[in-house]
C-alpha cells in the first residue's frame, strides 16, 4: 500500500521524530571509504506550480503555460494507446503519470532520477509509480514521437520487469537484455518504419557496425540497430511475433532463446538474414511506390513475403520432436497472462492483444490541484564487514515524492550483538537552487571479548599488546550527531556544500559503574567540494572523473585539548583504453591536525570477508582509559598484499590503479545465461600507500612502519626501536569480480613489496563496488 501524505504532514512528522531524539545510521561511512558517494546536481532556476488532468489511461501534470501541451499530449497518447498495447500484447495495470515541461531548459531542472536511479540493462530508469517526463521543443512531430517512444519504453519495462519496485528488483537479478532490445522496440513503435530515408538510415548503421556484436552497442547505434531488428521481424515474420517474443523473454529470461523459439530458426541464422535484408537493400522492393504518369498517379503496393514459422510435426501420444523442440508461443502468452492476473488479483487476460476492440471516447477530466504523494523508491540490504564490529547487515529505505524534490532516508546497521548498531535518519529538500537538509545519526560500539582480531584498535592509543593476549572487558562507546547542510550546485557536475553539526561521544565502563563515564560534546562544521562528470559505460562500469575535497573542524565544549580537524581528498578517474578495457585510478589523501588529531589506518582490503590482522611483538598489557578515539578512526581503502592495520598515522597517501576487463563485453550476452557470467570482470591492480605522524612527512623516521614499542605499561622495561625502511608499501596482483545472489563479490590475490622484499601472496574476498 502506498502511503499518501501531504508534504506538510511529512515535514511535521520528520521534525517531531528529530525532536524526540530518533537518531540516524551511517555516521561517518568509516567502513566504506572506497564506496564514497559523489553524484551530480540539478539546478533549479524557478519553481513550478503543477496542475493535473486525467484521460482514460494516463495522468498529465503540467504548469503555467502548458495547458495546451497537456491537452495535445492526452489526444496523442489515447489515440496511440490501443496500437501500442496491441502491438506489445500487453496492457499495463497502473496509470502512467506524465510530467510535461514547456521547454528542454525547464526539464533540465527536474530532480526525477536523482534520488535512487535503478541500473538495469545499462540504462538508468526510475520505475517507481510508472512516470515519465517530456519537454515540448516547439516541434509537434518530434514531440509526438518522443511521447510515443517514452510511453512504449515504459510499457515494455513494466511488461518485462513488473510494475512494482519489488518486482523490478527481483526480475533484474534474472533478466538482463541488451540496449538494442529496449531502445529499439520503443523507437520502432514511434517511427515511420516504411519511410525510405529511415530504412536507409538503418542500413547505414548496420554497415557501420557489421563487424561488432550487436549486444555491445550503445547510444544511437543501439537504438537504430534495434529498430531495424524489430522492423525486420514485423516485415518478414509478421507483427504478431513481436508480442510473442516480448512475452517469451519475460518467461525464459533471454532474448536470443525467445527469438529462436518464436521464429523457429537459430539465432545466428536470424542475425545473418537480418543483415542481408538491409545490406542488400531488400527493403526497397517492399516499399510502397508512387508512379507519376502525367495527370495520373498510380500507387503500387508490392506484396511483402512473410515468412511463416515451420509447421510442427504431428506427434503421437507421449512423443516429442527433440530435433525442433520449441515453446508454444500462444500457450506461453496465456500462461503469462494467467500468472500476471493472479498476482494482481484479477481474472482478466490483459496480456493477449485485444483485437477489434471498440475505440474508447477520449475523456479528459480536470484540471485538478497536483497531489504530491510519498513513495518508497529504493530498498536495499547489504552485508558489511565493519572494521570494529565485524559482520553486520545494513538496511536502507529511501522515500520521496514523485518529483523527488523531497526525500527521506532511513538506515539501520545491525550485528548479531544488537548492542552494536548504527541508526540513521535524514531529510533532503531539493526544491530550489540551494539544496538543504538535516540528519541525525547514532553509532553504538560494544567491546567485550578481545583477542588478536581486535587488539589492533589499541595500537594507535599507545598500547602494543602481544598477539597471544586475550581478555574480557565490558565497554560501550557512543557517537551521536545532529547536522544540517546546504549545498550550492555551480553546474550539473560541481557543487559546494557546508554543514554545521553538533556531536557527542561517550565511553561507559559497564563492568565498573562506579567509574565516571567519559563524555564530550563538540560543535563543528564541514565544507565540501564535489566534482562528478562520470557516465555509465555499461553495468558496474563508469567513464569520466569524480573527486571530493572535504574539511572537518570539531571544537570541544569541554576542553580545547580535544579539538581536531581533518582534510580528506579522494579523486578517481575512469578511462576507456580500447574495446571494453578500462583503466581506473584513485588517489586518496588525508591529514588530521589539532591538539587531538585522529588516526587513519591502512592495509588489507575494505569490507573483507577473510580479514587477517597485522601482528606485532608488543609486550604491554591493559586497556586504555579512553576508547573514544576509535569512533573517529578513518579507513582509507585498499592496500592489497598486506594485512589489515599494517600502517596507521594522522596522515596518509594511497593510490590504487586497476585495469578492468568485463567478460560480457567480448561474448554475446545471449550466450551468458547467468548474472554470474554477465557481470564477470577480470582485474589487474597495483596499490601504493603510506601513513605517518606529524608534519615531517612519510620519510620521517618516527612513523608507524619504522617504530616499534617494546614493553611498557606494567612492564618496567620499555623501549622504542627505530628501523630504516622505505615508508611506501607496494601491492600488486590479479582479481575477479562478479555478482553472486545479488551481491557484487570481489576476489583478489596480491603480493606485497616492503623495503625491496616481496611477501607471500594473500587472498582477499570482499563485497562492494569500485576499488
Amino acid at each position: 500500500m502506498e502511503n499518501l501524505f501531504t508534504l506538510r504532514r511529512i515535514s511535521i512528522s520528520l521534525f517531531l521524530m528529530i525532536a524526540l531524539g530518533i537518531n540516524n545510521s551511517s555516521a561517518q561511512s568509516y567502513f566504506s571509504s572506497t564506496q564514497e558517494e559523489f553524484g551530480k546536481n540539478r539546478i533549479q532556476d524557478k519553481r513550478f506550480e503543477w496542475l493535473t488532468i486525467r484521460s482514460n489511461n494516463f495522468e498529465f501534470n503540467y504548469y503555467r503555460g502548458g495547458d495546451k501541451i497537456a491537452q495535445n499530449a492526452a489526444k496523442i497518447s489515447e489515440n496511440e494507446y490501443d496500437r501500442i498495447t496491441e502491438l506489445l500484447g500487453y496492457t499495463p495495470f497502473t496509470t502512467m503519470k506524465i510530467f510535461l515541461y514547456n521547454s528542454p531548459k525547464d526539464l533540465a531542472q527536474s530532480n526525477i532520477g536523482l534520488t535512487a536511479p535503478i541500473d538495469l540493462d545499462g540504462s538508468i530508469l526510475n520505475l517507481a509509480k510508472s512516470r515519465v517526463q517530456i519537454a515540448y521543443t516547439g516541434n509537434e512531430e518530434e514531440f509526438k514521437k518522443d511521447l510515443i517512444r517514452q510511453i512504449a519504453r515504459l510499457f515494455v519495462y513494466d511488461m518485462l520487469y513488473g510494475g512494482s519496485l519489488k518486482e523490478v528488483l527481483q526480475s533484474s537479478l534474472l533478466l538482463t537484455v541488451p540496449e538494442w532490445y529496449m531502445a529499439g522496440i520503443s523507437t520502432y513503435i514511434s517511427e515511420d518504419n516504411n519511410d525510405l530515408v529511415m530504412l536507409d538510415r538503418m542500413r547505414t548503421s548496420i554497415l557501420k557496425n557489421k563487424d561488432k556484436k550487436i549486444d555491445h552497442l550503445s547510444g544511437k547505434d543501439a537504438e537504430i540497430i534495434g529498430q531495424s531488428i524489430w522492423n525486420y521481424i514485423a516485415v518478414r515474420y509478421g507483427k504478431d511475433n513481436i508480442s510473442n517474443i516480448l512475452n517469451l523473454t519475460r518467461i525464459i529470461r533471454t532474448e536470443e532463446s525467445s527469438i529462436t523459439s518464436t521464429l523457429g530458426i537459430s539465432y545466428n541464422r536470424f542475425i545473418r538474414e537480418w543483415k542481408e535484408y538491409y545490406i542488400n537493400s531488400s527493403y526497397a522492393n517492399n516499399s510502397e511506390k508512387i508512379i507519376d504518369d502525367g495527370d495520373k498517379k498510380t500507387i503500387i503496393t508490392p506484396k511483402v513475403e512473410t515468412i511463416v514459422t515451420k509447421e510442427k510435426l504431428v506427434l503421437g501420444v507421449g512423443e516429442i520432436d527433440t530435433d525442433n523442440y520449441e515453446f508454444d508461443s500462444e500457450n506461453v502468452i496465456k500462461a503469462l497472462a494467467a500468472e500476471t492476473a493472479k498476482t494482481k488479483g484479477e481474472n482478466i487476460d490483459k496480456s493477449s492483444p485485444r483485437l477489434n476492440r471498440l475505440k474508447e471516447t477520449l475523456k479528459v477530466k480536470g484540471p485538478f490541484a497536483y497531489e504530491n504523494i510519498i513513495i518508497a523508491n529504493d530498498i536495499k540490504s547489504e552485508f558489511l564487514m565493519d572494521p570494529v564490529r565485524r559482520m553486520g547487515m545494513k538496511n536502507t529505505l529511501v522515500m520521496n515524492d514523485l518529483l523527488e524534490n523531497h526525500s527521506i532516508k532511513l538506515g539501520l546497521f545491525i550485528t548479531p550483538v544488537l548492542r552494536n548498531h548504527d541508526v540513521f535518519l535524514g531529510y533532503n529538500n531539493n526544491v530550489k537552487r540551494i539544496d538543504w537538509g538535516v540528519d541525525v545519526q547514532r553509532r553504538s560500539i560494544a567491546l567485550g571479548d578481545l583477542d588478536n582480531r581486535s587488539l589492533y584498535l589499541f595500537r594507535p592509543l599507545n598500547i602494543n599488546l602481544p598477539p597471544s593476549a586475550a581478555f574480557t572487558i565490558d565497554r560501550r562507546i557512543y557517537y551521536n550527531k545532529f547536522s544540517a547542510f546546504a549545498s550550492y550546485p555551480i553546474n550539473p557536475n560541481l557543487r559546494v556544500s557546508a554543514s554545521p553539526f553538533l556531536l557527542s561521544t561517550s565511553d561507559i565502563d559497564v563492568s565498573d559503574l562506579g567509574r565516571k563515564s567519559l563524555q564530550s560534546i563538540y560543535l563543528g562544521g564541514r565544507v565540501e567540494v564535489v566534482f562528478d562528470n562520470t557516465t555509465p559505460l555499461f553495468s558496474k562500469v563508469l567513464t569520466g572523473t569524480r573527486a571530493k575535497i572535504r574539511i572537518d573542524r570539531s571544537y570541544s565544549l569541554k576542553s580545547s585539548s580535544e579539538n581536531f580537524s581533518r582534510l580528506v581528498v579522494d579523486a578517481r578517474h575512469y578511462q576507456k583504453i580500447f574495446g571494453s578495457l578500462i583503466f581506473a585510478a584513485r588517489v586518496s589523501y588525508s591529514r588530521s591536525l589539532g591538539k587531538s588529531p585522529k588516526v587513519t589506518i591502512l592495509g588489507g582490503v575494505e569490507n573483507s570477508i577473510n580479514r587477517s590482522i597485522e601482528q606485532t611483538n608488543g609486550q604491554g598489557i591493559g586497556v586504555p582509559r579512553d576508547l573514544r578515539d576509535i569512533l573517529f578512526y578513518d579507513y582509507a581503502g585498499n592496500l592489497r598484499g598486506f594485512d589489515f592495520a599494517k600502517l596507521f598515522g594522522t596522515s596518509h597517501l594511497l593510490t590504487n590503479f586497476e585495469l578492468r576487463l568485463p567478460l560480457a563485453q567480448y561474448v554475446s550476452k545471449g550466450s551468458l545465461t547467468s548474472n554470474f557470467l554477465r557481470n564477470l570482470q577480470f582485474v589487474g591492480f597495483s596499490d601504493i600507500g603510506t601513513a605517518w605522524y606529524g608534519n615531517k612527512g612519510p620519510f620521517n623516521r618516527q612513523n608507524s612502519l619504522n617504530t616499534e614499542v617494546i614493553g611498557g605499561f606494567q612492564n618496567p622495561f620499555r623501549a622504542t626501536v627505530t628501523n630504516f625502511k622505505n615508508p611506501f608499501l607496494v601491492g600488486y596482483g590479479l582479481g575477479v569480480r562478479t555478482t553472486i545472489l545479488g551481491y557484487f563479490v570481489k576476489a583478489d590475490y596480491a603480493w606485497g613489496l616492503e623495503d625491496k622484499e616481496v611477501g607471500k601472496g594473500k587472498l582477499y574476498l570482499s563485497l562492494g563496488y569500485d576499488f
Side-chain angles (χ1 to χ4, degrees):
M1 292 291 293
E2 296 167 352
N3 296 324
L4 302 180
F5 295 111
T6 64
L7 290 178
R8 179 175 297 177
R9 289 175 60 191
I10 284 293
S11 300
I12 293 173
S13 299
L14 175 66
F15 285 103
L16 281 175
M17 286 188 288
I18 294 174
L20 290 171
I22 298 180
N23 291 331
N24 163 339
S25 117
S26 144
Q28 305 157 314
S29 56
Y30 81 136
F31 44 73
S32 56
S33 61
T34 57
Q35 313 307 316
E36 185 82 44
E37 293 185 4
F38 294 85
K40 299 182 181 180
N41 320 295
R42 308 286 173 82
I43 299 176
Q44 285 72 40
D45 293 321
K46 63 180 181 181
R47 188 168 182 175
F48 304 116
E49 299 293 338
W50 292 93
L51 294 172
T52 301
I53 62 171
R54 299 185 180 94
S55 64
N56 306 45
N57 299 287
F58 300 92
E59 178 183 295
F60 300 90
N61 300 286
Y62 64 96
Y63 52 93
R64 179 182 295 180
D67 51 340
K68 291 183 179 179
I69 298 174
Q71 293 288 339
N72 186 35
K75 292 178 182 178
I76 294 172
S77 302
E78 294 298 344
N79 286 338
E80 296 290 332
Y81 182 80
D82 286 347
R83 181 179 73 88
I84 296 172
T85 54
E86 288 183 6
L87 183 62
L88 298 178
Y90 178 79
T91 301
F93 294 91
T94 58
T95 299
M96 179 184 290
K97 300 178 184 295
I98 300 175
F99 291 88
L100 299 167
Y101 291 82
N102 298 347
S103 68
K105 182 180 178 181
D106 287 353
L107 174 59
Q109 301 181 48
S110 169
N111 288 315
I112 291 181
L114 188 64
T115 303
I118 300 170
D119 183 355
L120 292 177
D121 62 336
S123 60
I124 299 295
L125 182 70
N126 193 315
L127 281 174
K129 290 301 298 179
S130 298
R131 58 196 162 164
V132 297
Q133 47 186 353
I134 301 171
Y136 182 72
T137 61
N139 185 315
E140 291 285 347
E141 187 63 26
E142 286 301 317
F143 176 72
K144 178 179 179 180
K145 288 181 181 179
D146 189 26
L147 181 60
I148 296 171
R149 184 184 301 113
Q150 293 211 41
I151 290 174
R153 186 176 179 83
L154 198 59
F155 279 15
V156 174
Y157 262 102
D158 188 78
M159 178 182 184
L160 295 182
Y161 292 99
S164 72
L165 186 65
K166 179 181 178 182
E167 292 172 328
V168 171
L169 296 176
Q170 289 175 341
S171 300
S172 66
L173 299 178
L174 302 173
L175 172 60
T176 305
V177 293
E179 189 172 338
W180 69 260
Y181 189 98
M182 300 299 302
I185 186 62
S186 56
T187 304
Y188 168 76
I189 291 173
S190 64
E191 295 285 351
D192 179 5
N193 299 284
N194 294 321
D195 181 49
L196 282 178
V197 174
M198 178 59 70
L199 291 166
D200 285 338
R201 188 180 303 168
M202 297 179 193
R203 179 176 183 269
T204 300
S205 185
I206 292 170
L207 288 171
K208 172 185 172 185
N209 298 284
K210 66 178 181 179
D211 296 326
K212 298 179 181 179
K213 295 182 181 295
I214 62 172
D215 290 352
H216 302 156
L217 297 176
S218 60
K220 199 65 179 178
D221 284 337
E223 179 182 309
I224 296 176
I225 292 292
Q227 179 188 0
S228 70
I229 291 175
W230 291 109
N231 181 60
Y232 175 71
I233 292 172
V235 171
R236 303 292 287 176
Y237 296 93
K239 290 185 177 181
D240 288 347
N241 280 306
I242 291 178
S243 62
N244 295 344
I245 292 170
L246 290 169
N247 278 286
L248 200 54
T249 300
R250 182 176 181 181
I251 296 295
I252 60 180
R253 306 293 182 181
T254 166
E255 78 285 348
E256 291 189 9
S257 298
S258 300
I259 290 174
T260 297
S261 298
T262 303
L263 305 184
I265 62 172
S266 70
Y267 184 75
N268 289 335
R269 178 185 167 188
F270 167 79
I271 293 298
R272 183 174 66 252
E273 293 179 353
W274 155 71
K275 287 183 179 179
E276 291 173 353
Y277 175 78
Y278 288 98
I279 292 175
N280 298 331
S281 301
S282 301
Y283 58 82
N285 300 322
N286 296 334
S287 301
E288 189 175 80
K289 298 180 177 64
I290 301 177
I291 300 177
D292 191 350
D293 186 14
D295 297 331
K296 185 178 180 181
K297 291 185 179 180
T298 304
I299 299 176
I300 299 177
T301 305
K303 294 183 179 179
V304 177
E305 179 186 357
T306 301
I307 296 178
V308 181
T309 55
K310 58 189 176 184
E311 295 182 1
K312 296 181 181 179
L313 294 176
V314 178
L315 302 171
V317 178
E319 294 180 336
I320 299 175
D321 181 5
T322 56
D323 294 330
N324 302 288
Y325 182 79
E326 60 185 81
F327 288 93
D328 188 321
S329 301
E330 182 179 353
N331 289 336
V332 168
I333 295 172
K334 289 181 179 179
L336 176 63
E339 175 192 348
T340 306
K342 182 179 179 181
T343 303
K344 302 292 183 178
E346 300 182 10
N347 297 316
I348 302 173
D349 183 358
K350 293 188 177 182
S351 283
S352 300
R354 292 181 289 176
L355 302 177
N356 302 320
R357 53 186 173 186
L358 295 177
K359 186 76 175 179
E360 289 185 275
T361 303
L362 175 63
K363 299 177 182 178
V364 178
K365 299 179 181 179
F368 307 103
Y370 172 69
E371 182 181 19
N372 207 3
I373 64 175
I374 297 295
I375 58 174
N377 198 20
D378 190 22
I379 304 172
K380 289 182 180 178
S381 294
E382 55 185 326
F383 287 104
L384 289 178
M385 307 303 162
D386 186 277
V388 180
R389 298 166 293 184
R390 302 172 193 168
M391 178 179 284
M393 174 70 74
K394 181 182 179 182
N395 302 280
T396 306
L397 168 65
V398 177
M399 298 184 293
N400 54 262
D401 65 323
L402 288 180
L403 291 166
E404 298 187 36
N405 291 330
H406 307 264
S407 65
I408 300 171
K409 185 176 182 180
L410 301 155
L412 175 66
F413 173 78
I414 56 174
T415 71
V417 178
L418 296 181
R419 294 187 299 274
N420 287 316
H421 62 265
D422 294 343
V423 187
F424 173 89
L425 171 65
Y427 166 74
N428 281 28
N429 184 306
N430 300 319
V431 175
K432 298 181 180 180
R433 176 63 181 262
I434 297 179
D435 302 327
W436 64 272
V438 294
D439 62 60
V440 284
Q441 309 170 13
R442 177 180 176 83
R443 168 161 292 153
S444 172
I445 298 177
L447 296 174
D449 295 331
L450 300 178
D451 53 25
N452 58 4
R453 293 178 297 175
S454 303
L455 300 183
Y456 81 91
L457 294 169
F458 302 150
R459 288 173 57 203
L461 304 177
N462 296 320
I463 303 297
N464 202 8
L465 299 168
S468 59
F471 48 90
T472 299
I473 62 174
D474 196 355
R475 299 277 284 273
R476 308 281 194 277
I477 50 178
Y478 298 101
Y479 174 100
N480 300 286
K481 182 178 180 181
F482 172 84
S483 60
F485 74 89
S487 178
Y488 184 83
I490 298 173
N491 59 48
N493 300 322
L494 179 65
R495 70 175 179 270
V496 178
S497 63
S499 174
F501 59 77
L502 173 68
L503 70 86
S504 67
T505 61
S506 303
D507 180 351
I508 301 173
D509 190 342
V510 179
S511 62
D512 184 6
L513 295 178
R515 173 177 171 262
K516 185 178 180 180
S517 300
L518 301 175
Q519 293 183 331
S520 293
I521 298 177
Y522 296 86
L523 280 175
R526 167 178 292 183
V527 178
E528 193 171 63
V529 180
V530 180
F531 175 82
D532 189 342
N533 70 353
T534 56
T535 56
L537 186 61
F538 34 82
S539 182
K540 312 297 186 296
V541 178
L542 300 172
T543 59
T545 302
R546 53 186 185 178
K548 176 178 290 188
I549 300 175
R550 180 173 66 239
I551 300 175
D552 291 322
R553 294 191 66 89
S554 300
Y555 299 93
S556 172
L557 300 183
K558 179 180 178 182
S559 171
S560 62
S561 63
E562 296 180 334
N563 294 349
F564 67 94
S565 63
R566 177 176 272 154
L567 166 68
V568 177
V569 178
D570 192 331
R572 312 176 189 200
H573 181 70
Y574 311 87
Q575 180 69 47
K576 181 178 179 182
I577 299 177
F578 60 86
S580 298
L581 185 64
I582 301 295
F583 173 71
R586 173 179 181 254
V587 177
S588 174
Y589 168 79
S590 74
R591 185 179 183 185
S592 183
L593 299 173
K595 294 184 178 180
S596 180
K598 305 308 177 184
V599 168
T600 298
I601 293 176
L602 271 75
V605 172
E606 179 183 89
N607 211 21
S608 177
I609 299 173
N610 62 332
R611 184 179 73 177
S612 57
I613 307 294
E614 175 72 7
Q615 300 297 319
T616 63
N617 295 319
Q619 298 178 15
I621 59 175
V623 179
R625 179 177 179 275
D626 190 350
L627 297 178
R628 289 175 297 165
D629 269 7
I630 293 174
L631 294 164
F632 298 101
Y633 282 175
D634 189 21
Y635 300 86
N638 299 335
L639 183 55
R640 289 159 284 196
F642 302 93
D643 288 333
F644 185 80
K646 174 69 175 179
L647 293 174
F648 56 90
T650 54
S651 298
H652 91 276
L653 178 63
L654 173 67
T655 60
N656 306 110
F657 304 100
E658 293 188 356
L659 281 175
R660 300 171 178 175
L661 183 65
L663 173 67
Q665 301 306 308
Y666 292 92
V667 181
S668 173
K669 287 186 179 179
S671 64
L672 302 178
T673 56
S674 70
N675 265 2
F676 179 90
L677 296 176
R678 288 179 187 269
N679 292 294
L680 186 62
Q681 295 181 27
F682 296 98
V683 174
F685 58 83
S686 177
D687 305 325
I688 304 172
T690 187
W692 67 95
Y693 280 90
N695 301 321
K696 296 182 180 180
F699 289 95
N700 176 26
R701 296 176 184 176
Q702 302 298 319
N703 63 36
S704 61
L705 183 64
N706 284 337
T707 59
E708 183 177 351
V709 178
I710 299 177
F713 230 94
Q714 296 183 9
N715 189 330
F717 174 80
R718 176 184 175 91
T720 300
V721 179
T722 301
N723 302 310
F724 299 93
K725 296 181 179 179
N726 185 334
F728 284 91
L729 303 180
V730 179
Y732 57 90
L734 301 172
V736 293
R737 287 97 174 86
T738 191
T739 300
I740 300 178
L741 299 177
Y743 295 96
F744 199 68
V745 180
K746 300 184 291 186
D748 295 310
Y749 195 84
W751 294 265
L753 176 62
E754 180 181 355
D755 205 32
K756 300 180 181 180
E757 292 186 7
V758 178
K760 293 182 179 180
K762 296 179 181 294
L763 175 65
Y764 303 91
L765 301 176
S766 59
L767 302 173
Y769 302 101
D770 214 353
F771 293 95

